[in-house]
Structure formats: structure tokens, C-alpha cells
Amino acid sequence: MDSTPVLQALFDSLQARPRPEDVADLVLQLAKDLSLAEHAVLERAARGALRRGLQELTSMAEDFDRPVAPERQVRKAVELFQTARALSPAECADVEKVRVLVRQLAEEIHKTPGRSDFSEDRLSRKERKASGMEVSRRRYNKLFRFVCRFERKVERLAMEQRKYEAMRIAKSSLATRIRWTDFAASREAACFVAYFTARCNRRSVFTSQSQDAPFDDVARMLLTRFLRAPCREGWLAIAHVMPDLDIVRHLDGADRLALFGTWTAVLGELARLLERTWARSQFNRATMVVSRGDDSSTWNALAGAWNASRQGWLALVHALGMADVAEQLCFGKVMRLMAADVAAWHRADGGGLEPDTLVWAALPAPWEVFSGKVSCTRAQVVAVCRAHGVDPEAKHWTFPRHGRRAVPFKPTPELVHGVVVSHPELASMLRKAGWFSGKDVEPLPEDAPAVRVERDAAGSVRVVHADDKARD
């Protein structure tokens, strides 16, 4: 049996968001020579695959929300402008190609790029005639407005693409950048990478506790299988999704340097975006609790990507024998913004402010340290951590992640805005009705089952069940 289609499906899953159970089912089709114990571990996850029929559907999208390419605007540009050429869907998703098109449109109407004031930046009738434009004022105004809107659209698209890339890095490091040749070189590495990526890409559960760690006993078993017959390409693929110190140490010198360069470049881009986002925001650095008007989605995507990239960079610094660099250039983590209800939930459960937030608030802004505007040494970070009762190495402020411990496998729950729902059909109904969205809630359909909401002692929702008995 040709295993290439299954291997290709696993590779394609790196760009999407399948449930770990569905990836485990593919792995079971691909993995060879499984022992009885290994088969049992993998089967425990694979039995929940949609293909098996025990759960025939999921209410959750099996891909990430991707930026919307301006295909409609490009088609309209072709209608309106003589110099506009049609772009393929792939070209429409390429910001640079769309920028070239917009510049051509601006040149056609003799508009200066970026100058979009309707009162000050339009050409007069005399100027239009002098430039050879034989169009009416009404048509010129229409073209001018179109180019202005298109310019703004392209800049929003560029930012959305950066935000999307940041979100992917925050979830699964550089998994989307793994090359096919490295992925396909080792079947065992491919199985681990695909399954672990799916675990990393799971949605967060609304909880006052820590999230379920992605490295579970299934991932541990798959990694152990790779360790029996490791190869260079396999290590490189794994290092893209799990850049721990005990992983990147197995890379050869050239691969270490290349990956170090990649993480450095990613951090540089994130530093610029974080600085810009911080400058136009009014976040409370001491608490990092969301306030009205805060762009928490952008900030949290950038913060998550920074922390993941920082871990990869720090691991490569140590693997390359450059620990002295981290002694002098020790930029810290970036804290995510927390919803006010989650913060209140923490307090109701007897918790307080996360100590890492206190460390973050006391240290220089990480993007300023990275760019060289201010200094922050390892000794400074250690002193601040100890002042707030934080272990700087255990919490990865000064030393990279290594030696992960596997957690037991748990089935992927159906979630509606982070709240666990007992059945996918009920979850679809609740999502359409606006439950847990923070917006106005619509009535459920007449044929919907009765709903039972399970709460904790503080009154926060834990699970939502379909209560057919109550309906009867």
C-alpha cells in the first residue's frame, strides 16, 4: 500500500487545525511495526477520530481564520482602470503583488501614494487636463476614492497577515515553515510533528487553571519511536515545532545557525510590531487586564509569538555555546492581556496576580532590550524574579525549556468561546445564538434540547450539557 497520500495528509495538517484525534487516526495508518503497547496508546486517541463515527462531526472549524485576500477589489480595479491586470487568488493573497497593482492604479490617475486627503490631494480640472486625463470630475473622484480605499485595504491586509503569522507561531512555533523534504525523510518524525502540532493548535479552554499541556503520552511515544532511528532531517523538522534545548542540541552546526537566524529575524519583526502596538495602546502594565477599547487579539497574538520565539532563540543560544550572549542580552517575556472575568475568577478561586506579570512589569520592555535601546542582563532578570518569588530557570526567564514531562491524553472538548459543551450539535446551536460571546443572545431553535449549565463554586460556567430529561 502506498503511504504517500497519508504522509501528504499529515504534512498538509501542519497548515490547518485538525483535532489531534483525527491526526492520530492518520498516524495509525502510517506507523509501522507498532508494539501492542504503542498501538494501545495511539488507539486511545484515534478512537475519537471523526472517521471512526463515534463522533460524526465537530462544531469547531478545522482551520485558522485566515486574512481575506482583496479578490473583489482586484476584480473591480480591472473594471475601472485601463492599466490594471487580473491577479490570481494566490497573487491576491501576496501583499507585495497587490501593492504593485495599487501603485499602478495611483500612477494612472497621477495620485501620490499615501496622499489621500479628498480636499487637498486631488488634481484640479486644469491639472488633470495637463496630465492628459480626459475624464469627468465625477469619474475622477470615483477613481480617486477607490485607490484611497484600496491603499488602506492593502495596509490592513499586511497587518492581518502579520497577526496571522504571529498567531501560528504562538501556537506551534515554526511548524508551518517545515519543508516537505525534512518532514518526509523520517516517517517517525513526521508522525510526531503532525500529532504534536495538532495538540499545540488546540483552542484554549475558559478556565482559571493552566491549560492542558500539548506534550502528552501519545506524543512521548511517537518521539520515542523516532529516537530509535533518528536522522538529521527529522531533528530539524521536530526542532521547528518543539525548539527545546534537548531537541536543538541534536541539530548539526549549519542547522543550528540557520534556525538561530530564523528566530532572530522573527523576534526583530515582532519587536517592531509590539513597540508599535504598545505605543498606540493604554494597557495597564501592572495588571495586564483588558479594558474597553483594548486590541487584545492583536496584542495576545504578538505576545504569544514573542514568547515562543524567545524560547526558540534562547535554546539555540545555549546549543551554539553562546550563553554569554544571554548573560548580557536577556530580554524578558511579554505578558498577554487577561479578560476581566477571568481575572475575577482567579481571585474568587483564591489566586492573585500571576507572579510573572510582576516580573514583566518591573523589567525593561523586551522589544527595547532586543533593539538595543536599553540594557537588561541576566543578573537583572534573576534579581527581579527572586524579588517576586519566581524561579527564573523553572519559569524560563533565563533558561530555555527542556525535559518536558508528558501529561495523560485527554479527548478534545467541543468549545464555544472557550466553554466546554457536551455535544457538537448543541455547540453549533449555542454559537449561532451568541452564547458566551459577550454579545446579545438570540433564542435557541424550538427543536433544541433543554440546556443544563454546570457552574463552579464561584458561579463560573464549567460545562454546558444537553438535558433531554428536563425537556421531557
Side-chain angles (χ1 to χ4, degrees):
M1 177 181 175
D2 183 11
S3 61
T4 303
V6 178
L7 190 62
Q8 182 66 55
L10 288 175
F11 184 69
D12 293 343
S13 75
L14 303 182
Q15 305 297 331
R17 201 175 198 177
R19 298 160 64 250
E21 291 87 340
D22 297 312
V23 176
D25 187 49
L26 288 171
V27 169
L28 201 55
Q29 298 174 46
L30 186 67
K32 301 296 183 182
D33 304 321
L34 289 168
S35 68
L36 291 176
E38 291 170 340
H39 189 280
V41 169
L42 195 53
E43 175 63 26
R44 192 162 66 250
R47 69 166 63 106
L50 299 179
R51 189 180 72 90
R52 301 288 188 96
L54 295 178
Q55 179 179 322
E56 297 180 353
L57 57 90
T58 176
S59 68
M60 300 182 294
E62 295 185 85
D63 201 352
F64 290 86
D65 290 334
R66 298 173 186 266
V68 179
E71 296 182 34
R72 181 176 60 83
Q73 288 84 353
V74 170
R75 287 195 298 270
K76 192 64 177 177
V78 173
E79 293 178 18
L80 294 175
F81 292 82
Q82 296 178 356
T83 58
R85 72 173 185 86
L87 301 180
S88 67
E91 289 175 319
C92 287
D94 187 325
V95 170
E96 292 308 314
K97 285 186 170 57
V98 178
R99 279 199 176 114
V100 169
L101 173 62
V102 174
R103 284 196 294 269
Q104 291 173 346
L105 305 183
E107 289 173 5
E108 183 173 327
I109 62 171
H110 302 276
K111 176 187 177 297
T112 302
R115 299 287 299 275
S116 302
D117 187 282
F118 192 72
S119 300
E120 302 293 333
D121 297 323
R122 287 178 301 148
L123 299 179
S124 66
R125 182 173 63 177
K126 184 178 180 180
E127 289 171 328
R128 293 199 302 272
K129 187 174 181 179
S131 62
M133 292 184 65
E134 298 294 337
V135 296
S136 66
R137 184 182 66 176
R138 183 177 180 181
R139 178 165 178 79
Y140 172 73
N141 288 345
K142 180 178 182 179
L143 297 177
F144 185 87
R145 287 192 179 99
F146 180 86
V147 175
C148 292
R149 290 194 298 268
F150 208 168
E151 286 177 337
R152 292 193 294 269
K153 172 71 176 179
V154 172
E155 293 312 308
R156 287 196 301 270
L157 174 63
M159 186 60 198
E160 287 301 310
Q161 287 189 345
R162 293 187 192 105
K163 189 169 141 184
Y164 172 80
E165 179 69 12
M167 177 182 60
R168 298 305 307 265
I169 292 173
K171 283 291 186 181
S172 55
S173 295
L174 298 177
T176 60
R177 302 190 188 188
I178 295 173
R179 296 174 302 195
W180 166 256
T181 51
D182 294 327
F183 183 85
S186 166
R187 184 178 307 207
E188 286 69 28
C191 290
F192 169 79
V193 166
Y195 179 79
F196 184 69
T197 299
R199 287 279 298 179
C200 290
N201 286 338
R202 292 170 303 157
R203 293 162 176 82
S204 298
V205 177
F206 183 69
T207 177
S208 63
Q209 308 300 316
S210 59
Q211 299 292 323
D212 186 33
F215 190 69
D216 65 1
D217 46 12
V218 180
R220 178 179 60 190
M221 180 272 289
L222 294 174
L223 181 59
T224 301
R225 283 175 56 83
F226 168 73
L227 294 178
R228 295 175 193 157
C231 65
R232 171 185 169 271
E233 296 86 353
W235 280 122
L236 186 57
I238 293 171
H240 273 70
V241 69
M242 195 170 80
D244 297 2
L245 180 56
D246 45 347
I247 297 296
V248 300
R249 275 178 170 163
H250 290 280
L251 301 177
D252 66 23
D255 288 339
R256 290 184 194 183
L257 281 172
L259 201 53
F260 175 73
T262 298
W263 280 126
T264 303
V266 169
L267 284 169
E269 173 68 11
L270 289 171
R272 289 187 289 273
L273 293 173
L274 283 165
E275 184 173 25
R276 190 172 78 180
T277 305
W278 182 266
R280 68 182 186 210
S281 305
Q282 294 182 338
F283 304 146
N284 185 340
R285 189 171 180 182
T287 64
M288 294 304 286
V289 174
V290 175
S291 299
R292 184 179 296 275
D294 289 343
D295 185 0
S296 59
S297 62
T298 297
W299 180 262
N300 287 349
L302 296 176
W306 174 271
N307 294 333
S309 303
R310 178 184 175 277
Q311 283 296 319
W313 183 89
L314 196 56
L316 266 301
V317 163
H318 283 268
L320 287 166
M322 298 163 51
D324 56 320
V325 172
E327 290 286 337
Q328 300 303 317
L329 183 64
C330 195
F331 43 85
K333 306 178 193 178
V334 173
M335 293 297 104
R336 290 182 172 93
L337 288 166
M338 180 182 290
D341 52 354
V342 176
W345 193 359
H346 276 285
R347 292 193 297 271
D349 278 356
L353 191 64
E354 165 62 41
D356 273 2
T357 305
L358 301 173
V359 176
W360 135 267
L363 289 172
W367 51 89
E368 293 185 345
V369 177
F370 183 84
S371 63
K373 294 178 181 178
V374 298
S375 173
C376 186
T377 65
R378 182 181 181 277
Q380 288 176 257
V381 175
V382 170
V384 171
C385 285
R386 288 176 178 168
H388 295 288
V390 173
D391 186 328
E393 290 199 6
K395 297 298 291 289
H396 311 300
W397 281 94
T398 59
F399 200 75
R401 185 189 298 276
H402 63 286
R404 296 193 193 217
R405 294 183 179 180
V407 299
F409 167 79
K410 291 182 181 178
T412 305
E414 289 291 320
L415 299 176
V416 176
H417 298 291
V419 176
V420 178
V421 180
S422 63
H423 194 275
E425 290 183 348
L426 176 60
S428 293
M429 293 179 184
L430 297 182
R431 186 177 290 106
K432 289 178 182 177
W435 282 47
F436 313 120
S437 66
K439 302 175 183 178
D440 293 337
V441 177
E442 298 177 0
L444 291 175
E446 292 185 0
D447 60 346
V451 174
R452 178 167 56 87
V453 178
E454 181 182 318
R455 300 178 182 272
D456 65 6
S460 299
V461 176
R462 290 290 193 186
V463 186
V464 178
H465 302 275
D467 196 350
D468 294 319
K469 293 182 179 179
R471 192 171 182 82
D472 295 338

